[in-house]
Amino acid sequence: MYVTPSIIQVTLFFNGKLIRGNRSMKFSCCRLDAFKSPNFPPLAFVGTNTQVIWTNVRQPKPGEEFSVKANMTAEVDLLWIYPNITLDTVKAHLQTDIKGVVLMTYGAGNFPSDRKDILNAIKEAVEGGKLIVNCTQCPDGQVTPAYETGQVLIEAGVIPLSDITPEAALTKLDYVIQNFTGSEREAYLKRSLRGEMTVQ
């Protein structure tokens, strides 16, 4: 008798692999392995046999029910950092009604530390109540405060989000803004709520 494995979470199945939904990224528009999970291994492999890697499957807590919240808002934004980005461009993202911003930075979460004008604008936005988180532009790897160029963002009040994907970062930021207030928001951003990131 065949028993169907019970994996209670949002997943994505593609090219013989089952991966955690909030760890997935679209890597190609034309290859069979179009989706990947760069910072977390697959949950299962499907071929002539199905192999579930149970150590990778997030187990729900006792009494925890599966639920999906579909009421996303337009109150979060994504800001890619690039060479010679202007202060006006940054301010355009920070001075709107947006409540949260995902900063897409270099390497391990690095930012040009000599751009005091932009750092001051970011700090002012954080002090004004905006939630700003740090996410790396690299699909593989994580944000760490190992370098001075990453530390300056932490000093400005930006919250590092480890190895989360940009897609998951936007979703998590929106969820936290909608459901929590005050110091709770930073605390929940730093947690792994549904296995979406590795807690450092």
Side-chain angles (χ1 to χ4, degrees):
M1 186 174 86
Y2 180 75
V3 178
T4 303
S6 179
I7 299 177
I8 308 172
Q9 58 189 273
V10 175
T11 59
L12 192 151
F13 180 73
F14 217 82
N15 196 32
K17 294 178 184 177
L18 185 71
I19 58 179
R20 185 175 290 170
N22 59 19
R23 288 285 195 154
S24 66
M25 296 180 75
K26 184 75 179 279
F27 265 72
S28 174
C29 62
C30 55
R31 294 174 55 180
L32 287 177
D33 57 342
F35 291 91
K36 293 186 179 181
S37 175
N39 292 304
F40 195 80
L43 308 180
F45 297 90
V46 179
T48 53
N49 295 305
T50 299
Q51 178 190 11
V52 178
I53 315 300
W54 288 107
T55 53
N56 297 342
V57 176
R58 181 182 179 273
Q59 299 301 323
K61 297 174 183 176
E64 183 180 50
E65 294 184 1
F66 181 79
S67 64
V68 176
K69 296 186 183 297
N71 57 329
M72 299 293 292
T73 71
E75 297 180 323
V76 294
D77 197 3
L78 190 73
L79 173 58
W80 281 74
I81 301 302
Y82 54 87
N84 297 322
I85 188 171
T86 66
L87 178 61
D88 287 342
T89 297
V90 174
K91 284 185 173 181
H93 288 264
L94 300 178
Q95 293 182 340
T96 62
D97 293 333
I98 294 294
K99 294 181 180 178
V101 176
V102 176
L103 276 186
M104 299 298 297
T105 57
Y106 309 128
N110 301 318
F111 181 86
S113 57
D114 60 340
R115 291 299 305 271
K116 304 299 182 186
D117 55 342
I118 294 178
L119 285 168
N120 287 336
I122 289 171
K123 186 175 181 180
E124 288 174 9
V126 171
E127 290 172 349
K130 291 191 191 299
L131 278 177
I132 304 179
V133 298
N134 189 358
C135 189
T136 175
Q137 296 177 12
C138 301
D140 183 30
Q142 63 184 1
V143 172
T144 67
Y147 302 101
E148 183 258 349
T149 48
Q151 189 64 37
V152 291
L153 288 177
I154 294 175
E155 292 169 1
V158 177
I159 302 165
L161 288 192
S162 186
D163 56 359
I164 199 168
T165 64
E167 298 89 342
L170 280 168
T171 305
K172 182 175 187 175
L173 189 57
D174 184 63
Y175 171 78
V176 167
I177 287 171
Q178 287 190 64
N179 292 279
F180 303 101
T181 58
S183 60
E184 279 186 321
R185 288 178 169 178
E186 182 173 349
Y188 276 92
L189 282 169
K190 290 180 176 179
R191 294 182 192 176
S192 178
L193 302 181
R194 296 294 184 273
E196 72 283 353
M197 70 180 200
T198 305
V199 177
Q200 298 180 25

